[in-house]
Amino acid sequence: MGEQNSGGGKKPAKEAKGAAVKKAAAKKTAVKKASSAVKKSAPAKKAPVKKATVAPKKATAAVKGVPAAQPVAKPPTGESHTALVRRARRINRELAEVYPYAHPELDFDNPFQLVIATVLSAQTTDLRVNQTTPALFAKYPTPEDLAAANPEEVEEILRPTGFFRAKTKSVMGLSKALVEQFGGEVPGRLEDLVKLPGVGRKTAFVVLGNAFGRPGITVDTHFQRLVRRWQWTDQTDPDKIEAAVGALFPKSDWTDLSHHVIWHGRRICHARKPACGACPIAPLCPAYGEGETDPEKAKKLLKYEKGGFPGQRLKPPQSYLDAGGKPAPPLGA
């Protein structure tokens, strides 16, 4: 009787233990399933991040498809370097078609005349310089002549260009340096040109690119304004702008690129009232809308040959005249 009772008492304990084991196993299975579910759902959270990285390319493509003279969305701040290079080069190609006759807008017959004219162009227009230099070069045709000139007589000739006393000192000092250091010849190297009085990198690249056929970027006020409007760079220092823009183009394009950008800045993309409605690169421009967008009103803002007015050179290249450009009038005409 006692053994049966003790055996009968153990049976319920075994059943309880088995139930507990089954319960624990069920918990483990549930935990595994939950963990598996979390792992499977993890990749879905990363998907939006992947989409975000391709957004700049989509935005760039959208800009390219917009018709000319229509509002254009600004390129995203995350525009890739590759997308920027493509957009910048396309802008240059478009401008090359608009200004196939682009050229330096200072009159010159030799490197000496070009370096003097470029120094004189500071704080004035190329037109005013072109109207002034014929008298200067007629009286002082060589560096030797200008270096030995009477300063007061030179000042009187240069008076129309403004800052004529400082400019007289610069061109006479420059001429003297050419005679003493380079045998009266304008050097064809950047490191030599920038040593001359009044000659900085901008002037040096004008001379190298247009008198010697050596590539260079001319960062004048027009160039600085436009490349920032186009978001090619946000730099403000001319040397840093030169480096940033130069990195977007092959070296062989630098001189013509400078002409295209400067011509566009003078004729259409003005500082105060850009003629956005008449701009051939409006679909590619992040700053579209800063100026007049109505096509008819924008046409009235165009300058030089685009607006039917004379250009800046008294003796422009034949290609410019063939394209309908008009020579500027001489001083006092």
Side-chain angles (χ1 to χ4, degrees), residues 231-296:
Q231 293 184 13
W232 289 4
T233 179
D234 58 2
Q235 298 290 343
T236 55
D237 177 76
D239 290 352
K240 291 181 179 178
I241 290 174
E242 176 197 322
V245 175
L248 303 177
F249 295 88
K251 198 171 182 178
S252 58
D253 288 352
W254 287 358
T255 299
D256 285 340
L257 168 71
S258 300
H259 291 325
H260 298 153
V261 176
I262 292 170
W263 273 54
H264 193 61
R266 285 177 171 166
R267 286 150 178 76
I268 296 178
C269 196
H270 312 135
R272 294 185 180 178
K273 289 186 177 180
C276 293
C279 181
I281 59 165
L284 301 167
C285 181
Y288 177 86
E290 285 187 12
E292 180 57 64
T293 57
D294 180 82
E296 293 304 317

Side-chain angles (χ1 to χ4, degrees), residues 87-96 230 232 281 284:
R87 185 166 61 86
R89 293 185 181 185
R90 185 177 173 191
I91 286 176
N92 187 40
R93 288 196 301 272
E94 296 284 344
L95 293 180
W230 296 335
W232 289 4
I281 59 165
L284 301 167

Side-chain angles (χ1 to χ4, degrees), residues 49-68:
V49 177
K50 288 182 180 178
K51 288 182 180 177
T53 59
V54 298
K57 291 183 180 178
K58 290 182 180 178
T60 304
V63 170
K64 289 181 179 179
V66 177

Side-chain angles (χ1 to χ4, degrees), residues 118-189:
T118 307
V119 170
L120 295 177
S121 68
Q123 304 298 316
T124 190
T125 64
D126 287 355
L127 171 59
R128 181 60 68 184
V129 173
N130 291 335
Q131 292 172 329
T132 305
T133 51
L136 180 71
F137 296 138
K139 192 166 186 178
Y140 312 108
T142 68
E144 290 83 359
D145 295 324
L146 191 51
N150 181 330
E152 291 182 359
E153 293 179 1
V154 177
E155 285 178 3
E156 194 57 35
I157 294 175
L158 300 184
R159 186 180 292 272
T161 67
F163 303 96
F164 58 93
R165 290 190 180 90
K167 290 181 179 180
T168 295
K169 186 177 179 180
S170 291
V171 298
M172 289 188 66
L174 189 160
S175 298
K176 186 177 180 181
L178 289 176
V179 173
E180 294 178 351
Q181 299 174 33
F182 301 100
E185 298 292 330
V186 176
R189 299 194 313 164

